[in-house]
Amino acid sequence: MSKTINTERDGVALIGAGMIAKTHVAALSDAQDEIALKAIVSRRPENARYLADFYDGDAPEFTSDLAAVCADPEITVAIVATPPSVRKDIITQLAQAGMHVLLEKPVGRNTQEALEVVDICERAGVTLGVLFQHRMRAPSMAAAALVKGDRLGKLGLVEIEVPLWRDQSYYNELGRGTYARDGGGVMITNAIHSIDLALSLTGPVARVQAMTATTPLHDMEAEDFAIAGLQFANGAHGSFVASTAMYPHRTEIIRLHFEHASLKIDKNALEVSWRNADTEIIAQDEAPRKVNPLLGGKHEWHQAVIEDFVDAVRRGTKPMVTGREALVSHQLIAAIETSSQTGQPLPLDDLGLEVDLNNA
């Protein structure tokens, strides 16, 4: 049975104190008053204590005792931000304790493991959300509202571009870019955000033909380059390209070409080019976002996802992205990998995975 939120402040535990932890702590610091960071769980708590400097509130407990956190009646939500290789056991323990789980992407190292994680939470009756913060960008939300309307007409063509650069030092971190720790390379670690956002606007992909590779610019096990032709279930076609070997680093862009207009979506603006009218820029991010000077990064999108998740738990509704909904992105990544390995087009049905979204 899941924990019921019935306290004046909803206690949150952060599981994992790696590179993304500062962003989560800063987001929780600025979150609504009813959310409080109660504990940070790390294998080496003494090395994580610096995170208290990024939290504007009572200092959380630093511990390696996950069982004690699970037993704390004031903690109802856990944010899991560990490497994918160790998540399944952690989520199992959290779910069995009735803890609601907000999970950093990916859900698992592969689609089967991701499906197991979703099943664990569903059987335990706890809410599982996935932190795809790109959906909280103003341009993304404006695009979603426009796509739901009736002005654009039929979708015909989709372009997904993830042109990133990562220095070799990024992959020198122990296990990064390996299948054992991360489950893959650029697709599951970096491009999955754009994949999720694109699929939330286009609907699922039915068929892919793809190639992946590791370029000479990186020494790593998994892919740092992927390209695929896409056929969508709604009849549209499209392209996907992602790499961490594209210098200089550029922003991710999604272009959706409809009957009556084309949308260009990036983190800064939504550009709408109407067929018989002018191009307009809407949802432009002109106002500077708050930056924690100690952190030096932006955390508003994470904060919005956390607030949405806690609100969903309180109300007994679905969070912005459920664990089951996130399986669609995993399924597409698996299809691209399989098509690359076989050199053949692949209908996603041929993966033999039951990704039922009726309860997403």
Side-chain angles (χ1 to χ4, degrees):
M1 179 180 294
S2 63
K3 291 188 177 183
T4 301
I5 294 180
N6 54 14
T7 59
E8 293 183 359
R9 298 187 60 151
D10 301 328
V12 176
L14 175 61
I15 316 298
M19 183 169 58
I20 197 64
K22 288 188 289 186
T23 301
H24 283 293
V25 173
L28 286 162
S29 183
D30 281 350
Q32 55 186 290
D33 292 340
E34 294 81 7
I35 301 174
L37 176 60
K38 292 289 189 179
I40 296 178
V41 180
S42 172
R43 289 177 297 174
R44 293 180 291 276
E46 64 280 2
N47 293 343
R49 293 188 185 279
Y50 76 96
L51 290 169
D53 294 337
F54 303 101
Y55 188 65
D56 184 16
D58 295 337
E61 177 187 3
F62 290 87
T63 180
S64 60
D65 190 346
L66 181 61
V69 170
C70 288
D72 189 331
E74 294 187 1
I75 299 177
T76 54
V77 170
I79 300 173
V80 178
T82 66
S85 55
V86 298
R87 288 183 184 168
K88 185 177 172 182
D89 290 342
I90 291 172
I91 293 169
T92 298
Q93 193 169 345
L94 293 168
Q96 289 175 348
M99 196 87 74
H100 304 282
V101 178
L102 179 58
L103 180 61
E104 270 286 350
K105 54 76 186 169
V107 180
R109 289 170 292 179
N110 52 60
T111 307
Q112 187 57 49
E113 184 175 83
L115 183 57
E116 291 171 5
V117 167
V118 171
D119 287 341
I120 288 167
C121 291
E122 288 181 348
R123 287 197 301 270
V126 300
T127 302
L128 174 63
V130 185
L131 221 149
F132 282 124
Q133 73 271 13
H134 288 201
R135 290 210 203 181
M136 287 298 188
R137 294 170 171 173
S140 303
M141 292 188 287
L146 194 56
V147 168
K148 287 179 181 177
D150 58 2
R151 299 178 62 195
L152 297 174
K154 187 175 179 62
L155 179 65
L157 186 66
V158 176
E159 301 175 75
I160 307 169
E161 303 172 14
V162 187
L164 310 180
W165 167 253
R166 295 291 186 271
D167 188 82
Q168 179 58 40
S169 60
Y170 178 78
Y171 292 109
N172 288 343
E173 180 180 322
L174 183 63
R176 176 166 284 159
T178 66
Y179 293 101
R181 193 195 88 153
D182 291 346
V186 61
M187 287 193 291
I188 199 164
T189 300
N190 310 98
I192 193 170
H193 282 292
S194 294
I195 290 172
D196 167 75
L197 176 57
L199 295 182
S200 74
L201 300 171
T202 65
V205 171
R207 185 172 177 267
V208 305
Q209 184 159 9
M211 183 187 80
T212 63
T214 307
T215 73
L217 301 178
H218 288 132
D219 180 14
M220 57 186 291
E221 179 185 10
E223 86 291 343
D224 66 354
F225 171 78
I227 188 168
L230 311 174
Q231 181 179 336
F232 291 82
N234 60 14
H237 292 80
S239 62
F240 166 77
V241 60
S243 181
T244 52
M246 293 181 174
Y247 186 87
H249 180 88
R250 288 163 285 157
T251 188
E252 306 97 317
I253 294 177
I254 297 170
R255 292 182 174 89
L256 306 178
H257 302 279
F258 293 86
E259 279 183 279
H260 306 309
S262 293
L263 311 186
K264 176 187 174 185
I265 308 154
D266 63 27
K267 66 181 179 180
N268 296 317
L270 168 62
E271 181 180 286
V272 184
S273 299
W274 296 99
R275 293 286 182 270
N276 299 314
D278 294 333
T279 294
E280 59 178 326
I281 306 295
I282 57 178
Q284 189 165 8
D285 189 4
E286 295 177 343
R289 292 183 295 275
K290 291 179 294 183
V291 176
N292 184 319
L294 296 174
L295 179 61
K298 296 167 181 144
H299 57 267
E300 288 78 6
W301 301 325
H302 283 75
Q303 178 184 336
V305 175
I306 293 168
E307 291 175 344
D308 169 84
F309 182 79
V310 172
D311 185 65
V313 170
R314 287 177 184 153
R315 296 173 179 272
T317 58
K318 295 177 182 178
M320 183 187 64
V321 183
T322 67
R324 187 163 290 278
E325 184 181 358
L327 294 176
V328 177
S329 297
H330 282 274
Q331 190 177 42
L332 177 56
I333 291 171
I336 291 172
E337 291 172 337
T338 302
S339 175
S340 176
Q341 292 164 3
T342 63
Q344 299 296 320
L346 180 73
L348 268 69
D349 289 346
D350 286 1
L351 288 173
L353 297 169
E354 296 296 331
V355 182
D356 179 13
L357 294 180
N358 290 331
N359 297 316

